[in-house]
């Protein structure tokens, strides 16, 4: 597609097409088998490929062999801009994560994109009630957590959960509009302390004692907010 108009293509499969990964797996199986036959350790997802070696010279040799198989035998074009050597000490980017010798992290751009989706769903100026917001959030949170659970991201998930709950509290306070409504909810929940009117549209007040007491974490559990803290994270890093 070019500027919104479809154009005929004689090469390749449509990018993003549901059948494209399957075609890649079928066609690149020969590459996988040949590289393993030569003693190389590889990981491939569709056309994203990692080749693991013990030294730079071995990496250069593996890259040359892989390029030859792909371009000469399979008649494919290797993207030179995206093909490079990397060391685990500085991190290897692959499928949204950054792999180090001691841990795996989620790439910052993926975290930013996820938070952008959450912000869009939890906009405070939207009249949508909290249950509907949580229903819309649930698949986004589940998908992000389950995809990136391979990373060492337990602390990040905890931080994201706290941030998401704060956004939900902030939105609900905006929907309540007046401090009197917040006070009624507090009394219904058994709050006996003093109450001082606060700004209901303040982001800062969304993490106040009153906000937490009126909307405890258990409330979000009742509304079936997906809990990323319960997702098992981390992978065992092999020693080669």
């Amino acid at each position: 597609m070019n500027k919104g108009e479809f154009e005929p293509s004689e090469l390749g499969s449509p990018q993003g097409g549901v059948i494209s990964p399957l075609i890649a797996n079928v066609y690149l199986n020969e590459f996988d088998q040949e590289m393993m036959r030569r003693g190389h350790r590889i990981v491939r997802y569709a056309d994203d490929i990692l080749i693991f070696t013990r030294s730079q010279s071995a990496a250069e040799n593996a890259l040359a062999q892989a390029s030859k198989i792909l371009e000469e035998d399979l008649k494919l074009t290797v993207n030179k801009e995206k093909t490079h050597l990397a060391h685990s000490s500085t991190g290897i980017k692959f499928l949204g994560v950054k792999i180090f010798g001691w841990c795996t992290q989620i790439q910052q751009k993926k975290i930013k994109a996820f938070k952008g989706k959450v912000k869009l769903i939890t906009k405070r100026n939207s009249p949508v009630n909290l249950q509907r917001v949580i229903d819309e959030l649930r698949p986004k949170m589940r998908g992000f957590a389950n995809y990136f659970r391979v990373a060492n991201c337990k602390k990040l998930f905890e931080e994201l959960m706290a941030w998401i709950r704060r956004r939900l509290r902030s939105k609900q306070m905006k929907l309540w509009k007046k401090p009197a409504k917040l006070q009624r909810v507090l009394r219904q929940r058994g709050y006996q302390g003093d109450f001082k009117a606060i700004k209901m549209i303040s982001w800062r007040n969304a993490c106040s004692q009153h906000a937490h007491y009126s909307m405890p974490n258990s409330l979000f559990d009742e509304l079936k907010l997906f809990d990323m803290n319960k997702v098992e994270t981390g992978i065992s890093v092999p020693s080669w």
Side-chain angles (χ1 to χ4, degrees):
M1 180 175 288
N2 183 21
K3 296 181 179 179
E5 296 184 2
F6 288 100
E7 292 183 343
S9 175
E10 298 179 358
L11 295 174
S13 60
Q15 186 173 8
V18 293
I19 199 172
S20 297
L22 175 60
I23 294 174
N25 283 337
V26 172
Y27 195 73
L28 289 173
N29 180 63
E30 181 179 338
F31 169 80
D32 299 341
Q33 299 304 320
E34 180 60 24
M35 289 295 287
M36 288 189 289
R37 187 186 68 78
R38 299 186 185 192
H40 295 296
R41 185 171 183 175
I42 70 170
V43 173
R44 180 179 63 78
Y45 180 83
D47 60 349
D48 289 314
I49 305 169
L50 289 182
I51 306 174
F52 299 96
T53 63
R54 294 179 180 273
S55 65
Q56 181 170 339
S57 60
E60 292 170 349
N61 178 56
L63 176 57
Q65 291 184 44
S67 298
K68 183 176 183 298
I69 296 170
L70 291 169
E71 295 187 324
E72 295 185 12
D73 297 346
L74 297 178
K75 309 303 179 185
L76 297 172
T77 301
V78 175
N79 189 326
K80 305 299 183 183
E81 294 182 359
K82 294 184 178 180
T83 303
H84 61 278
L85 305 182
H87 196 279
S88 60
S89 62
T90 57
I92 302 168
K93 294 181 179 180
F94 187 63
L95 301 178
V97 299
K98 197 169 185 180
I99 305 169
F100 295 88
W102 58 91
C103 72
T104 301
Q105 299 176 354
I106 303 174
Q107 291 182 28
Q108 286 300 315
K109 66 178 182 179
K110 297 299 182 180
I111 300 172
K112 184 177 180 180
F114 171 70
K115 294 182 77 171
K117 293 177 182 178
V118 172
K119 287 180 179 179
L120 191 63
I121 296 172
T122 58
K123 290 187 298 184
R124 288 190 294 175
N125 59 356
S126 168
V128 178
N129 65 50
L130 207 59
Q131 182 64 74
R132 285 180 57 190
V133 169
I134 288 175
D135 289 344
E136 190 174 351
L137 273 177
R138 193 180 302 116
K140 299 287 190 295
M141 296 173 67
R142 181 188 295 114
F144 181 85
N146 286 338
Y147 181 86
F148 288 110
R149 66 189 303 170
V150 296
N152 304 99
C153 54
K154 183 174 181 59
K155 183 178 180 181
L156 172 65
F157 280 6
E158 291 174 353
E159 293 172 351
L160 286 173
M161 281 304 302
W163 174 73
I164 290 171
R165 290 190 183 109
R166 183 176 179 181
R167 287 196 64 86
L168 292 172
R169 290 185 178 104
S170 178
K171 177 175 178 56
Q172 184 60 68
M173 289 173 67
K174 177 74 180 297
L175 290 173
W176 283 340
K177 296 181 180 180
K178 297 181 179 180
K181 174 61 177 178
L182 172 61
Q183 185 178 21
R184 284 199 299 272
V185 174
L186 285 169
R187 297 307 182 198
Q188 289 169 0
R189 289 194 172 274
Y191 181 74
Q192 300 297 325
D194 295 332
F195 179 81
K196 183 179 180 180
I198 60 176
K199 291 183 178 180
M200 301 295 281
I201 60 174
S202 168
W203 169 247
R204 179 180 179 181
N205 288 337
C207 65
S208 66
Q209 179 187 11
H210 289 157
H212 276 268
Y213 203 102
S214 62
M215 292 171 279
N217 289 352
S218 58
L219 170 66
F220 299 118
D221 292 338
E222 293 171 9
L223 296 176
K224 300 189 183 304
L225 177 69
F226 183 81
D227 192 349
M228 298 169 69
N229 290 332
K230 294 181 179 179
V231 176
E232 184 179 359
T233 62
I235 59 174
S236 57
V237 181
S239 56
W240 300 326

